Amino acid sequence: QQQVKQSPQSLIVQKGGISIINCAYENTAFDYFPWYQQFPGKGPALLIAIRPDVSEKKEGRFTISFNKSAKQFSLHIMDSQPGDSATYFCAASGGGGSNYKLTFGKGTLLTVNP
Amino acid sequence: DAGVTQSPTHLIKTRGQQVTLRCSPKSGHDTVSWYQQALGQGPQFIFQYYEEEERQRGNFPDRFSGHQFPNYSSELNVNALLLGDSALYLCASSLGRRGAFFGQGTRLTVV
């Protein structure tokens, strides 16, 4: 059972454009939604995270939009740069008690052309 | 401040052997989680350690075991290695419910 569904699988954007990656979740007990960036041969790096009590969070060129009723959240990368080319993962955790494990989507390979 | 450090970075083992991977958490973090990442997939949760005890476990067989030491560092042990165990093994540390920070991973190849 895939609890976090991520799309698209791959994305090609021109430099300066907006990259949008979407995720949907099934478990309504999730209460923490981070995004990770991973370069080849490296571990995932935490980019930005949101909790369901807010609908949007912005940090620099990265914005998370969150729709609790639709059980969806998305990552927007403004003014995309070639250095942003990487694999992006959405994740979710929560469920009460000590349920801190992260459930990841399958990833989106972003390519930003110069 | 050194982040999460893992050793070794690469490892080649023969089917049936046993392997131990090591992780030192980010300074100030008390919780260590281990994930398996197959090629082209998202990380899959193996288990999490807090106060030297396994707090939560994912859907992995008993061949996968771990340990956390008083200094919060951790080990992942895999017995009776299978070809399918070949993957990037990631360690993540955190403090409570705050964001998890990952190490660079250990690339395990089983031949």
Side-chain angles (χ1 to χ4, degrees), chain A residues 31-32 36 38 42-44 46 51 89 93-94 98-102 104-106, chain B residues 35 37 40-43 45 48 55-56 88 90 96-97 99-104:
Chain A
D31 62 0
Y32 175 71
Y36 285 85
Q38 187 175 29
K42 303 292 185 182
L46 179 63
R51 296 194 184 273
F89 292 95
S93 75
S98 59
N99 190 351
Y100 295 175
K101 75 173 188 178
L102 289 168
F104 283 83
K106 290 189 174 183
Chain B
Y35 291 79
Q37 186 177 24
Q41 299 294 317
F45 177 79
Q48 183 179 87
R55 175 159 65 182
Q56 193 175 4
L88 180 68
L90 295 162
R97 288 300 310 277
F101 291 82
F102 284 82
Q104 81 283 3

Side-chain angles (χ1 to χ4, degrees), chain B residues 6-15 17-22 34 76-78 81-83 85-89 104-111:
Chain B
Q6 293 186 240
S7 63
T9 55
H10 296 82
L11 201 53
I12 299 175
K13 288 287 189 178
T14 303
R15 187 172 47 182
Q17 285 188 316
Q18 178 265 345
V19 68
T20 298
L21 310 181
R22 295 176 175 82
W34 287 91
L76 165 65
N77 301 291
V78 186
L81 284 167
L82 304 174
L83 296 179
D85 294 332
S86 295
L88 180 68
Y89 287 85
Q104 81 283 3
T106 294
R107 173 68 63 186
L108 172 64
T109 302
V110 182
V111 298

Side-chain angles (χ1 to χ4, degrees), chain B residues 18 33 53 55 63 65 71 75 88:
Chain B
Q18 178 265 345
S33 303
E53 292 194 357
R55 175 159 65 182
R63 298 186 297 109
S65 63
N71 66 353
E75 289 182 348
L88 180 68

Side-chain angles (χ1 to χ4, degrees), chain A residues 11-93:
Chain A
L11 180 62
I12 300 175
V13 174
Q14 292 299 119
K15 179 182 176 181
I18 302 174
S19 304
I20 301 175
I21 304 170
N22 301 298
C23 282
Y25 62 96
E26 300 169 1
N27 187 346
T28 55
F30 286 151
D31 62 0
Y32 175 71
F33 302 88
W35 284 90
Y36 285 85
Q37 177 191 58
Q38 187 175 29
F39 293 103
K42 303 292 185 182
L46 179 63
L47 264 181
I48 186 172
I50 197 168
R51 296 194 184 273
D53 52 345
V54 297
S55 60
E56 185 174 283
K57 183 175 181 180
K58 183 176 181 179
E59 289 184 3
R61 296 185 294 109
F62 300 92
T63 300
I64 298 180
S65 297
F66 187 82
N67 186 329
K68 186 175 181 179
S69 60
K71 294 187 287 185
Q72 296 175 347
F73 59 110
S74 60
L75 176 69
H76 292 63
I77 305 175
M78 312 301 288
D79 187 26
S80 298
Q81 299 296 312
D84 296 331
S85 297
T87 299
Y88 292 81
F89 292 95
C90 62
S93 75

